[in-house]
Every structure is written in structure tokens, then in C-alpha cells.
Amino acid sequence: MRDARTDVLVVGAGPVGLALAIELGSRGVRVTLIERNDRGGSAPRAKTTNVRTRTHLRRWGIADKLAAASPFGVDYPNNMVFVTRLAGPELARFTDAFNAAPARDNRYPEHAQWVPQYTLERVMLEHARTLPGVDILFGVTLTESEQDNNRVLSRVVDIDGREREIVSEYLVGADGARSRVRELIGARMVGRAGLSHHYNIIFRAPGWAGAHRHGPAAIYWQIGTDGLSVIGPMDQGDLWYFMPGGAKPGDSLSKEEAAALIRQRCGIDLPVEVLSADNWTANELLADRYRAGRIFLAGDACHLHPPAGGYGMNMGVGDSVDLGWKLAATLNGWGGPALLNSYEIERRQVHQVVIDEAMANYAIFVEPPPVEIEDDTAAGEAARTKLGAAIQASKGREFATLGTVLGLCYQSPLIAKESEPCPEHISEVYKPSGHSGCLAPHAWLDDGSSLYDLFGPDFTLLVAAGANRCEVGKAFENAKALGIPLKILDVPSISIAELYGASLVLIRPDQHVAWRGNHWEDALAPAAGHELALA
């Protein structure tokens, strides 16, 4: 292999690395994306692409492609059904978990979607390959990196043992929990590891969808005398997944043992073909730093938490969007140190809140059910009623996450300060706010399009009806002098002042509010944070 030069070298071609390649490639940045594996197999970890991630896909022009790739149709009910076992009685039910119903909602332009992670990766990979300047190399492993003030020199090796060097302006480790990039910069994961251990079994099961009485769902949670496990359909071809707890570190199951465990826990005596049986560990870990000079971390490389709430993969995509536009701005000449420094400042805030939410959900375990929980007796029925009520009262917060997915607001030198504090965060409830740092409130336009569709790729100045046009002119001239791309946006069909609480609103490339007000000079005042100049 010959030596190569690129703007950004990204290590890891999962959803986080692909998102970064797309964000950068869409902005004219040269990207080399390397991945040591072939990203094949049938065992995805994530299965819910949430509202925010699909909104990013919409901005990239591929949300419809993901919808079309849904294995059971995009309107497949994202229900969470609690049962004693799949063949047994129902205990509780939560419908439309994570806002996955495709009905239009005024709060966001894209619903969530239940879809295997490998399908999401395929859609993202196909799009990334269409972008000029994006080079994707599988079977390539990063071995070493060193940097100076001007560039990063990385050594890589392919599956045939051929070595080469890649020179880049920046390096990003999106290489997961065992990140080589994190190791190279000396960052440490801080927190608690090994909270619990679980099997992850993928199997083919013809006839299983009709072998129970609970109807379609994304996950069936089994809480019976055998303990807690989850099971559900995964893909066409009668593919299912099964995840029981109780594994020990280093444990493994043969395919025969896994098949027997599935039939035992589910109570369905039909043939199953086990395709894979691995295990995973729940952790609560956060990197002590996300950056060393020109090298950054994103996704699982810098944060790990239990999957309770479906945040992990989606949060990693959010990392790539935040870092991506900031790297692109810097490489394109209108960003600067304050912009790149804000990546860790802003994303660490989100990571900590989300980890706390995931841990709160993870901690809500129903007490072991009484021995009569599966009995066909009055005592058994009473036990199931009591347990179902407890589940209904406690587990809903795990599936109603819109306040966390959309409602977290940044506070950083790139966000104007306001006299009033940011809105209170309530995980189950999302109340759109135009407060600086928050996600831009959404609205549908008369023609059926989204307000977000009109935002520019870089900064956008929303202008309310009746706004002072001299103020708009000042903003435009300031942006021009600083070399910052700025789109001026008037939307007569909606009330910007009512929706955002100001006549002028500066929207960042990631759709967060940077500043709002009625006089442009206020955006540059020290109290508002002069770093809005992005120097």
C-alpha cells in the first residue's frame, strides 16, 4: 500500500465512524475511513434508530432509504410487551416506544425506527461511498499514531500484512469500547465496569411469530420463574434475537445449549437454528478526556453505559455530527481553537446526563417474581396482576425518552448566555424551547415540508416577520467579514417570534440555537459570549 494524505482519518466504520465520514464528506472534507473488520455478521447491538438520529439522516438525504429498508415495514409496532414467558400470559404493555410510530408529530420531522444496526450501517455506508473525497478501507488496522502541531502520522496494516502511513490533519477514534486510539492518547475510562453480563443469541425460528398470543412487538420481556430475559423478531427470514442475563465473564454457550435455553425460557417447543451466541457486558464508563491535540474520540471510545433507553449508538452519531461540523469549519478556514475545544465541553454534558438516565433505567429491576407467578390459579393471577402494575408504574421512563433525546441544551462558550436558565430536563417530556443552546423548535410548513429542511448547511439566521432589516444586514456583514457561511431565512408561513421567543435566531449547523434576540449587537456582546465569532 502507498502512503496517503487526507484531511481526517477516521478509525472505525460503525454508525459513529460512518456518521462522521458523511458529515465531513458532505462539507467537502477529504476523509479516509478505516475498519479492521468487514462489519458483517448477524448480531447487532442497537436496534432502535431514534428521533434525533433519523433527523440527521433526513439532513443527509437518506431517512427515506432507512425507512424503506425496515425489515417488517416502517409502521411495524414498536411495542414493549412484558410476559412471564413468550408462551405465557401478558403482564404489561407499552406501545410506540421511543416515538417510532410514523404519524406526523409537530415536535420533530422524523420518527424513530426499529431496525437492526447492520441495516442502518448498510444505508449509511452506501451513502458515504457516493461522497467525493470519502475513501473507505476495510480490513485495515491502525497500529500507531504520532502528531505534531501540523499533522498526524498514522501507521496502518491491512489483512495481508502490508503496512503504510497515512498523513492527516486530524485523527478521530470511533473504534469502540476497546479503542486503539484511546489507548494511543493515554485516555482512561473512569467509572464502573462489569455491572452485569448477558448472552446475545441470534437464531432462526420458523413459525415462532404465530406461536404466541401477544401480537407483534419489538421486544418481549420475559419475567418468570427462570428470571429476566428479552426476545424479539429481528429481520426477515424468521430471524430472532434472545438475550438472557446471568452470564459470567468468559462464559460461552454451544449452539445446542443456546437452543435449549431459548426453548426453556420461552416455553415454545419448535425447532430453532442458532446462528451466533456471544456475550456482552454492561458498564458505566466515561473517558477522562476526549482529545489530545489533533486526535479526538467519539462514540463508545469515550462513553459506555447499559442499553436501557436505547441511547448508546444514537448518542455516538450525535458526537460525530457535533465534531464533524466543527472539524469541517476549521479545515474550511472559518473555525478555530474555541470551536474545536467546545466538542468535549458540549458532548460531555450530554454524555453525563444520558449515562445517568441509562443507569436510572438499568436500576429499575422488578423484584424476583413469586413462585406462583406462572401458576394457572387465583394466586398466580393475583401475582401477575401485582407484578404487571409494578412494571407499568416503573418501566415507562425507559421507553419514553423524548425529553432526553431532544431536550438537552448545550452550555458552552459557543452558546450565548441568557438571563434565564435553560429549561428543566425531564426525560419523559419534551417541551421545545428557543433558549440558546437548545435544539431548534420544529414546525411543519404549509407545503408539508419541515422548517429544518430550509436551514442552511452551516449557520442560519431565522428572521421573524417585522424584524428590523438593518439588524439582519449587520448580521450578514459580520458573518461575511469573519468568513462564516450564513443563510438568511424568512419563513412567512410560521411565527418565528412565537416559536422561538425572539425576532432574530441564529441556528448552528447541528440545528441547535446559538443565540436569539432582537438586536444583532447583543450576539457579539461579552455577556453573550464573544466566542460566537468562532475564532
Side-chain angles (χ1 to χ4, degrees):
M1 293 189 292
R2 294 178 301 174
D3 293 353
R5 301 187 73 89
T6 189
D7 292 329
V8 181
L9 173 62
V10 180
V11 183
V16 178
L18 288 167
L20 185 57
I22 292 171
E23 191 69 32
L24 291 168
S26 299
R27 299 177 182 279
V29 174
R30 294 178 303 159
V31 182
T32 298
L33 175 61
I34 65 172
E35 168 61 53
R36 63 185 179 183
N37 302 312
D38 60 8
R39 301 302 299 182
S42 58
R45 292 291 187 260
K47 301 177 185 69
T48 297
T49 301
N50 71 19
V51 166
R52 187 68 186 130
T53 299
R54 274 186 48 91
T55 298
H56 292 313
L57 266 63
R58 181 187 183 104
R59 185 166 51 84
W60 297 329
I62 55 175
D64 289 345
K65 291 182 179 179
L66 186 66
S70 180
F72 308 124
V74 74
D75 56 351
Y76 182 84
N78 206 52
N79 296 336
M80 304 288 143
V81 179
F82 288 75
V83 296
T84 57
R85 62 184 70 222
L86 195 56
E90 184 173 315
L91 300 169
R93 176 180 292 259
F94 299 88
T95 60
D96 189 27
F98 310 118
N99 298 84
R104 193 170 94 162
D105 193 299
N106 289 333
R107 297 169 294 178
Y108 49 79
E110 293 290 338
H111 57 87
Q113 183 179 346
W114 188 98
V115 63
Q117 180 176 312
Y118 56 72
T119 301
L120 171 65
E121 289 185 20
R122 187 185 75 241
V123 171
M124 295 175 73
L125 177 61
E126 289 173 355
H127 182 61
R129 281 177 164 156
T130 69
L131 300 173
V134 174
D135 190 16
I136 302 173
L137 307 174
F138 287 95
V140 176
T141 300
L142 174 73
T143 58
E144 297 293 337
S145 287
E146 58 188 51
Q147 62 175 311
D148 57 28
N149 291 334
N150 300 310
R151 56 92 170 112
V152 181
L153 176 65
S154 300
R155 298 177 181 88
V156 302
V157 59
D158 69 12
I159 56 176
D160 296 319
R162 293 174 297 186
E163 297 181 349
R164 70 162 160 169
E165 294 181 340
I166 299 177
V167 178
S168 60
E169 296 281 328
Y170 297 96
L171 168 65
V172 181
D175 49 343
R178 299 178 180 87
S179 171
R180 173 59 175 158
V181 177
R182 184 180 68 232
E183 181 181 355
L184 288 172
I185 68 171
R188 296 184 305 108
M189 296 296 272
V190 178
R192 295 184 294 167
L195 299 174
S196 58
H197 307 274
H198 308 259
Y199 294 111
N200 183 42
I201 303 170
I202 307 300
F203 64 102
R204 182 171 285 111
W208 273 54
H212 62 85
R213 58 192 179 188
H214 306 296
I219 302 179
Y220 303 94
W221 301 65
Q222 301 184 125
I223 306 177
T225 53
D226 290 327
L228 174 66
S229 61
V230 299
I231 186 169
M234 191 180 78
D235 207 337
Q236 297 176 0
D238 299 306
L239 288 182
W240 288 63
Y241 63 90
F242 174 59
M243 290 190 289
K248 298 293 189 296
D251 269 6
S252 62
L253 292 174
S254 69
K255 291 186 176 181
E256 293 74 21
E257 291 171 330
L261 185 62
I262 293 167
R263 286 192 291 266
Q264 172 197 337
R265 293 288 185 94
C266 299
I268 296 177
D269 191 18
L270 290 175
V272 300
E273 176 191 359
V274 174
L275 303 179
S276 66
D278 58 7
N279 51 52
W280 59 275
T281 300
N283 301 297
E284 181 193 7
L285 297 168
L286 196 62
D288 60 353
R289 57 193 173 109
Y290 297 2
R291 178 189 182 187
R294 291 175 170 271
I295 303 176
F296 295 81
L297 302 175
D300 286 356
C302 57
H303 51 79
L304 292 166
H305 58 77
Y311 297 114
M313 179 273 292
N314 295 286
M315 187 162 66
V317 171
D319 296 347
S320 292
V321 170
D322 186 271
L323 180 58
W325 77 262
K326 293 171 181 177
L327 282 172
T330 302
L331 288 163
N332 290 330
W334 57 271
L339 192 59
L340 293 182
N341 289 340
S342 72
Y343 166 67
E344 180 171 344
I345 295 171
E346 294 184 348
R347 293 309 291 172
R348 184 178 288 276
Q349 298 168 21
V350 171
H351 297 159
Q352 191 59 69
V353 172
V354 169
I355 287 174
D356 291 345
E357 284 294 328
M359 288 303 299
N361 293 332
Y362 176 78
I364 300 174
F365 283 111
V366 180
E367 292 294 323
V371 294
E372 67 270 18
I373 191 68
E374 298 187 60
D375 292 351
D376 188 17
T377 63
E381 179 65 30
R384 289 190 290 274
T385 299
K386 181 179 179 181
L387 179 57
I391 294 169
Q392 208 74 49
S394 64
K395 291 293 283 182
R397 65 172 292 164
E398 184 169 342
F399 315 122
T401 60
L402 204 61
T404 296
V405 171
L406 299 182
L408 297 181
C409 303
Y410 291 138
Q411 298 182 60
S412 81
L414 297 182
I415 299 296
K417 296 180 178 65
E418 297 197 9
S419 58
E420 296 296 323
C422 289
E424 179 186 8
H425 166 245
I426 302 173
S427 185
E428 301 96 320
V429 180
Y430 171 55
K431 293 182 178 179
S433 170
H435 193 287
S436 297
C438 296
L439 183 66
H442 176 261
W444 293 106
L445 307 182
D446 292 343
D447 63 1
S449 63
S450 163
L451 173 62
Y452 286 10
D453 297 339
L454 301 183
F455 290 169
D458 298 301
F459 276 82
T460 300
L461 185 67
L462 278 175
V463 180
N468 188 320
R469 305 308 297 190
C470 290
E471 299 295 319
V472 176
K474 293 174 185 177
F476 181 80
E477 291 302 320
N478 279 155
K480 183 178 179 181
L482 293 166
I484 298 173
L486 178 67
K487 178 179 181 178
I488 306 299
L489 180 59
D490 295 89
V491 190
S493 62
I494 62 174
S495 173
I496 296 298
E498 182 178 345
L499 189 62
Y500 284 83
S503 60
L504 300 174
V505 186
L506 185 64
I507 307 296
R508 302 185 347 169
D510 57 5
Q511 301 170 341
H512 279 258
V513 177
W515 167 85
R516 62 176 177 174
N518 300 314
H519 304 285
W520 179 248
E521 289 87 348
D522 295 342
L524 303 180
H530 187 68
E531 290 85 349
L532 285 178
L534 311 179

